[in-house]
Amino acid sequence: MKFIVEGITKCAPRLGVLKEIERHPNITLETPMAMLYTRGGSIPHITNEVFKLITTKSQIIQIPLVSTYNFEDVMTHYNGTIAEFVGMKECISCMTVQDPGDYTQPGHHVQDLIPLWTRHGKVLLNAKLYMILVELFKPDMYYFLSDGDTNIASPTKRVNKAVQNTVKYYKECIEIHKNSKILKNSFAMGVIAGGYNLKARKDCMDVVCKIDSIGGYLIDGLHNNGPEVEFLCAEEIKPVVEYIVENLHHTKLKAIHGCWNPVTILQLIKLGIDLFDTSYCHIVTERSCALTFSLDLSNTEEAFELNLRQSQFADDFRPILPGCACLTCVKYSRGYIHHLVTVQELLGPLLLTIHNVHHYTKFFETIRECIRNDTLRILEETITKQFNLYQNGVKEKRDEDEELNSTEVVRDEVNRTNEDNVQIPLVPTC
Amino acid sequence: MSTKRSPLIFNVLAECATSKARTGKMILPHGEVNTPVFMPVGTQGTLKGLLTEQLEKLDLQIMLSNTYHLGIKPGVEVLKKAGGLHKFMNWNRCLLTDSGGFQMVSLLKLAEITEDGVKFESLNDQKSEIVLTPEHSIEIQNTIGADIIMQLDDVVKTTSPDNARIEEAMFRTTRWLDRCLMAHKRNDDQNIFPIVQGTLNKELRTASAKAHMERDVRGFAIGGLSGGESKDDFWRMVHLSTNILPKNKPRYLMGVGFAVDLVVCCALGVDMFDCVFPTRTARFGCALVMTGQLNLKQKTYKLDLNPIDKECDCSTCQTYTRAYLHQIATIHPVSCHLLTVHNVAFQLRLMKNIRDNIVANTYPQFVQNFMYNLYPNQNYPTWVVDSLAAVNIKLLSI
């Protein structure tokens, strides 16, 4: 696999392509892009049959080890790749350690082992154990084992330990990778750890960036994954990401994972990040919402997001987003989806996932087009404006609710959970 | 102007020379249905996580939805505005709705039955009370717009010892049928089926069937069975009902869907079936196969790289192994979708086999082989032996 990037300016939005993928020679992928988030090997709610019904140009599936660790035994008996095993052989697989859509419990480190919180309890990994799993899974791309258990509040001691672990794993993983016949066609990526401490990040890069054979880097350790990442604001992460990108070779692929909101995604793209994931779509779907932010630079009428549980949609037979070409919008109405999510039918989140992943993929297509036409700034303004309007609306509604609730003595819990009052997260303004 | 086409045309295409089995074609406003047919249950206007595109690919011709549930949510007003359930759920093929009567049995503690109708306490919404009269049931079903709709019936548990209550329910069902027929506003594009009641009482069931045959209807349902009675009683009631009901109209046995029951009841001359079992068992991680069902959570499947069924051409069996399904079953919703696709495909394939064998006049041999595969030690249940013997099919003993 090769990554070729256009432009040489560091810390600037850039276009690139991933091509000459050994198992998929005919696929060329354009960056910036989002790989398809999976849990237990499947895109949440989407079977292979449905996947084939929905055309999506993004064809990397992200396989977090934490939700697939239990496949170890069967993969030792299975000759194929992880993509084949999970029924997604038409996709390029990328193995990651943690699950960006799920909160990673911090701490619980045992010496230099990484805790992995699987369904069946805690598993401790070191580089050797990890690389055995990578060889079993035979992914098209993967990241070396890293210690990403840091966030903005991490103490220096934890940050330094994370770097120490990550550097150690890096050295061991690259040795095993070089000698592995099975992985000779897998695109390996190094990991930069070190929280928000620039010195620690430098220490990590000093080792990890020494070897030129590495095709790309993951910037890890910015957060502990899960829905909270949506609330992180770009201003907080910008200095550290900028510092890392400045010090990385510009030709290398750069990835950051997590459920970032679209405004933050744009900021990261402006810093030169190439690769993301669709875990954001998952958390939006889980709260019964649909992404509707405008991708048309001349049109800002749509709301940023619709909460399909709200009773106003009960008899609204328009598509989620008029004009959207996804299967959900072409065939199904807001009213029907409202019905499905209020009666908790499985088809509800399925239809929302189809739309949300489609919309998010379109978002990245639009980003690439805007980079090409040098109109990214307009897209950023449009989406940021919509986002802030939406957040203010949510904030106002919440304040109103709080006022109401404080005067109300008895609250009907059943009605609260049923409709209308599903919590919409509020992103702090920075 | 020419006379309008009947909303139900039923033609028997072939009859088994040995048993009462028959295969036919039913033409309904939203398309053709080949019988005998199994109708999967999409209670709330959706078939358990499957897109209608997937259902068409499975070649599903008709599915069932529940009036009781749809009447509560999304409610009549929304369905009216949507232009009926077909449009609301994006399904252009045939639909059948029950009347809400069956929910009486399952929710009896919360319901009060009078001559007027059934008073329910809604489960979903604590405050509201719903009175379901025959007129109201038909009104809702007229709004839903299914091709076949069911009369409201007074259902008594087959295990009930109260003979007076059984008799009352049987006669009331017929009175309610007349009220349903009176209330029916879309006789040109919706078909009401009466329901033969009478629990396990031969005389009452006979009287019920005969009374309903006097009405101008296009098909019949056999109700009140599959509710905990013994299989010996069950098949005798089906046998008795199909002996009485006219041959030129479809017969629908409500709530039956296990493979053995389908094979036997087709031999007894039933044309239509419905059951939640195939889709429900899927959500518990179980996959249907000709020899029973596989519980994919079991450790034996952990390293099993075979598909659920090598003979099955459903999208699940074409793509996924038992080992992968073992990993995700009951954990990730995707596993429900995958097993639901397979289980619906299984039911449809079984029914196609049944139809093909009736056409080829090989149905008795099909039944013999089916039962032999299911019971290789020939320890056939008595009810299976007896019921099939009643229609001249003798099981293999080797």
Side-chain angles (χ1 to χ4, degrees):
Chain A
M1 190 186 291
K2 274 187 187 159
F3 176 65
I4 297 155
V5 66
E6 289 174 13
I8 49 157
T9 320
K10 280 187 177 178
C11 288
R14 67 216 211 124
L15 295 169
V17 285
L18 275 167
K19 58 181 186 182
E20 293 171 37
I21 302 150
E22 281 70 15
R23 269 188 278 263
H24 300 274
N26 298 326
I27 297 180
T28 301
L29 296 168
E30 293 177 71
T31 63
M33 73 169 297
M35 43 174 123
L36 299 167
Y37 168 73
T38 73
R39 196 173 265 195
S42 290
I43 302 168
H45 310 285
I46 306 294
T47 63
N48 177 272
E49 183 180 26
V50 173
F51 179 71
K52 284 178 179 164
L53 283 174
I54 55 175
T55 51
T56 165
K57 285 178 186 153
S58 171
Q59 286 190 324
I60 302 179
I61 47 167
Q62 175 187 37
I63 309 279
L65 182 62
V66 65
S67 62
T68 52
Y69 177 80
N70 298 315
F71 300 1
E72 181 177 9
D73 287 349
V74 65
M75 289 307 287
T76 57
H77 286 76
Y78 185 71
N79 289 326
T81 65
I82 185 69
E84 287 162 346
F85 181 66
V86 300
M88 297 290 277
K89 63 173 190 282
E90 45 284 276
C91 289
I92 295 150
S93 57
C94 178
M95 203 169 149
T96 65
V97 181
Q98 304 293 358
D99 178 339
D102 204 5
Y103 178 66
T104 307
Q105 200 173 322
H108 298 269
H109 299 266
V110 178
Q111 288 175 341
D112 47 6
L113 297 166
I114 287 294
L116 199 64
W117 299 94
T118 74
R119 279 190 63 81
H120 299 279
K122 184 172 76 169
V123 173
L124 293 166
L125 285 181
N126 60 24
K128 207 177 152 200
L129 293 168
Y130 176 70
M131 290 303 286
I132 289 171
L133 289 158
V134 176
E135 287 200 326
L136 288 175
F137 283 25
K138 304 182 252 324
D140 297 296
M141 308 166 68
Y142 75 100
Y143 301 114
F144 289 153
L145 186 64
S146 60
D147 183 340
D149 182 11
T150 48
N151 55 50
I152 197 153
S154 296
T156 314
K157 198 178 155 200
R158 173 84 277 275
V159 170
N160 288 339
K161 185 66 186 169
V163 170
Q164 199 186 322
N165 280 340
T166 303
V167 164
K168 182 175 184 295
Y169 300 149
Y170 172 79
K171 288 176 180 166
E172 290 165 359
C173 287
I174 198 152
E175 260 331 288
I176 299 169
H177 180 86
K178 275 184 194 162
N179 296 318
S180 169
K181 279 183 190 156
I182 296 169
L183 297 175
K184 76 174 190 323
N185 287 335
S186 289
F187 187 83
M189 294 174 73
V191 183
I192 316 293
Y196 290 72
N197 182 325
L198 303 189
K199 168 74 171 59
R201 292 284 180 177
K202 185 169 187 304
D203 291 346
C204 194
M205 284 189 282
D206 282 347
V207 181
V208 174
C209 303
K210 241 198 280 179
I211 299 162
D212 200 43
S213 64
I214 287 292
Y217 298 99
L218 166 69
I219 302 175
D220 201 12
L222 293 169
H223 53 71
N224 290 86
N225 298 309
E228 292 294 315
V229 173
E230 183 186 10
F231 310 152
L232 293 181
C233 75
E235 294 311 310
E236 276 175 341
I237 54 168
K238 198 177 166 185
V240 61
V241 174
E242 195 166 30
Y243 177 77
I244 295 164
V245 174
E246 268 172 6
N247 287 283
L248 287 177
H249 201 277
H250 79 276
T251 58
K252 305 290 184 184
L253 183 64
K254 296 173 190 77
I256 291 186
H257 291 300
C259 320
W260 306 102
N261 67 59
V263 171
T264 309
I265 290 283
L266 285 168
Q267 298 306 315
L268 292 170
I269 280 169
K270 279 167 67 189
L271 292 172
I273 304 301
D274 308 296
L275 196 52
F276 302 88
D277 63 74
T278 62
S279 56
Y280 179 68
C281 301
H282 177 63
I283 62 160
V284 171
T285 299
E286 289 302 298
R287 61 174 178 250
S288 304
C289 288
L291 296 171
T292 50
F293 59 85
S294 179
L295 299 176
D296 177 355
L297 303 185
S298 61
N299 183 0
T300 54
E301 275 170 32
E302 286 95 9
F304 188 83
E305 188 178 306
L306 300 183
N307 179 353
L308 271 304
R309 295 186 85 86
Q310 289 172 349
S311 48
Q312 69 188 86
F313 298 117
D315 58 355
D316 183 344
F317 303 115
R318 288 175 295 170
I320 290 173
L321 182 60
C324 175
C326 81
L327 179 71
T328 300
C329 287
V330 171
K331 297 276 184 75
Y332 300 87
S333 69
R334 295 174 179 184
Y336 185 53
I337 298 166
H338 167 80
H339 166 66
L340 295 172
V341 298
T342 49
V343 299
Q344 298 181 330
E345 275 284 351
L346 291 166
L347 193 62
L350 189 151
L351 291 176
L352 286 171
T353 302
I354 291 176
H355 171 77
N356 286 336
V357 172
H358 176 92
H359 194 72
Y360 205 66
T361 309
K362 279 296 257 194
F363 173 47
F364 276 86
E365 268 174 44
T366 309
I367 289 170
R368 294 193 296 268
E369 205 179 291
C370 288
I371 296 174
R372 209 166 284 131
N373 303 335
D374 201 17
T375 51
L376 195 64
R377 202 179 46 81
I378 305 172
L379 180 70
E380 187 194 338
E381 277 170 17
T382 312
I383 290 177
T384 309
K385 199 172 122 195
Q386 269 187 319
F387 183 74
N388 290 340
L389 263 173
Y390 175 69
Q391 288 298 331
N392 289 339
V394 172
K395 192 170 180 295
E396 272 168 29
K397 190 171 185 302
R398 186 162 298 181
D399 291 346
E400 271 172 34
D401 284 353
E402 269 165 21
E403 261 171 50
L404 275 176
N405 289 340
S406 60
T407 54
E408 222 173 307
V409 184
V410 184
R411 233 163 63 190
D412 187 349
E413 284 297 330
V414 176
N415 278 349
R416 264 187 71 80
T417 49
N418 261 352
E419 244 178 66
D420 277 8
N421 288 314
V422 165
Q423 299 282 312
I424 296 173
L426 184 64
V427 176
T429 37
C430 356
Chain B
M1 214 156 121
S2 64
T3 49
K4 222 176 159 183
R5 195 187 77 182
S6 165
L8 190 153
I9 297 166
F10 180 63
N11 290 312
V12 175
L13 302 177
E15 286 174 283
C16 174
T18 310
S19 68
K20 292 197 281 176
R22 71 246 196 93
T23 176
K25 191 182 284 284
M26 185 163 61
I27 304 167
L28 295 168
H30 288 87
E32 294 182 354
V33 176
N34 299 317
T35 64
V37 62
F38 174 80
M39 306 178 285
V41 182
T43 302
Q44 317 205 75
T46 159
L47 190 65
K48 302 302 164 196
L50 302 196
L51 294 164
T52 49
E53 286 77 3
Q54 291 175 282
L55 300 176
E56 283 170 16
K57 225 174 116 194
L58 284 166
D59 208 16
L60 186 71
Q61 295 174 312
I62 181 167
M63 64 183 269
L64 190 142
S65 267
N66 291 99
T67 299
Y68 171 77
H69 294 86
L70 291 171
I72 294 168
K73 266 188 177 167
V76 174
E77 285 311 309
V78 169
L79 285 166
K80 203 174 275 173
K81 282 187 197 165
L85 182 60
H86 283 97
K87 281 187 187 155
F88 187 61
M89 67 180 287
N90 183 40
W91 172 245
N92 301 321
R93 296 191 182 183
C94 302
L95 280 172
L96 182 148
T97 43
D98 71 354
S99 61
F102 178 73
Q103 269 74 28
M104 262 192 248
V105 169
S106 42
L107 308 171
L108 194 62
K109 268 183 224 152
L110 305 166
E112 188 192 327
I113 303 164
T114 64
E115 186 60 30
D116 188 39
V118 191
K119 200 188 279 177
F120 288 104
E121 226 171 72
S122 163
L123 278 182
N124 297 21
D125 194 331
Q126 289 177 325
K127 280 152 205 159
S128 69
E129 210 173 54
I130 299 166
V131 183
L132 191 66
T133 61
E135 291 78 14
H136 189 214
S137 171
I138 296 304
E139 189 195 335
I140 303 173
Q141 295 192 74
N142 280 163
T143 305
I144 294 171
D147 301 74
I148 297 173
I149 66 180
M150 304 306 296
Q151 76 153 114
L152 186 71
D153 54 344
D154 186 357
V155 187
V156 184
K157 273 197 176 143
T158 47
T159 47
S160 167
D162 185 348
N163 280 322
R165 173 72 187 101
I166 293 168
E167 197 174 326
E168 177 194 51
M170 187 284 278
F171 285 113
R172 180 176 285 156
T173 295
T174 305
R175 289 194 295 275
W176 282 2
L177 169 62
D178 290 331
R179 285 169 60 186
C180 287
L181 290 169
M182 283 285 288
H184 188 26
K185 294 215 171 64
R186 294 179 62 180
N187 197 32
D188 289 342
D189 61 353
Q190 286 188 292
N191 304 284
I192 292 192
F193 278 22
I195 302 172
V196 176
Q197 285 293 354
T199 61
L200 307 176
N201 181 312
K202 278 185 198 170
E203 288 71 34
L204 291 180
R205 216 167 250 284
T206 306
S208 178
K210 289 199 168 149
H212 292 180
M213 283 161 65
E214 287 166 15
R215 273 71 182 174
D216 179 20
V217 291
R218 307 182 191 106
F220 297 91
I222 303 164
L225 293 176
S226 200
E229 72 282 1
S230 80
K231 284 288 185 184
D232 289 309
D233 290 329
F234 162 79
W235 79 260
R236 284 188 172 86
M237 287 301 118
V238 176
H239 187 44
L240 174 117
S241 306
T242 54
N243 276 345
I244 301 167
L245 292 170
K247 278 189 151 188
N248 62 346
K249 290 179 182 176
R251 303 136 171 189
Y252 162 31
L253 178 57
M254 303 176 82
V256 169
F258 293 132
V260 182
D261 300 4
L262 294 172
V263 170
V264 169
C265 292
C266 283
L268 298 177
V270 175
D271 306 298
M272 301 164 68
F273 304 89
D274 82 281
C275 190
V276 294
F277 165 71
T279 43
R280 181 171 292 168
T281 202
R283 297 198 296 284
F284 298 136
C286 293
L288 301 177
V289 290
M290 285 298 169
T291 49
Q293 59 173 325
L294 314 178
N295 180 350
L296 288 158
K297 284 314 286 174
Q298 284 172 358
K299 283 207 175 93
T300 46
Y301 303 112
K302 194 174 178 187
L303 304 176
D304 190 339
L305 296 168
N306 292 302
I308 295 166
D309 183 349
K310 281 180 188 148
E311 307 286 306
C312 180
D313 60 2
C314 81
S315 60
T316 302
C317 288
Q318 296 306 305
T319 315
Y320 295 90
T321 59
R322 292 174 178 184
Y324 181 61
L325 294 166
H326 168 81
Q327 291 291 343
I328 61 169
T330 70
I331 299 170
H332 299 291
V334 159
S335 69
C336 302
H337 307 336
L338 292 172
L339 293 174
T340 303
V341 166
H342 170 78
N343 286 355
V344 171
F346 172 87
Q347 298 288 106
L348 298 183
R349 186 159 53 104
L350 174 65
M351 299 317 286
K352 186 172 188 311
N353 277 339
I354 290 173
R355 292 193 299 268
D356 290 350
N357 279 285
I358 297 171
V359 170
N361 203 19
T362 50
Y363 193 60
Q365 291 88 321
F366 168 82
V367 175
Q368 287 169 336
N369 292 332
F370 178 88
M371 294 300 172
Y372 182 75
N373 286 333
L374 198 54
Y375 305 100
N377 302 323
Q378 292 137 61
N379 52 341
Y380 306 117
T382 320
W383 80 273
V384 173
V385 175
D386 293 348
S387 59
L388 291 169
V391 287
N392 312 312
I393 298 175
K394 197 171 177 299
L395 291 178
L396 297 174
S397 54
I398 299 160

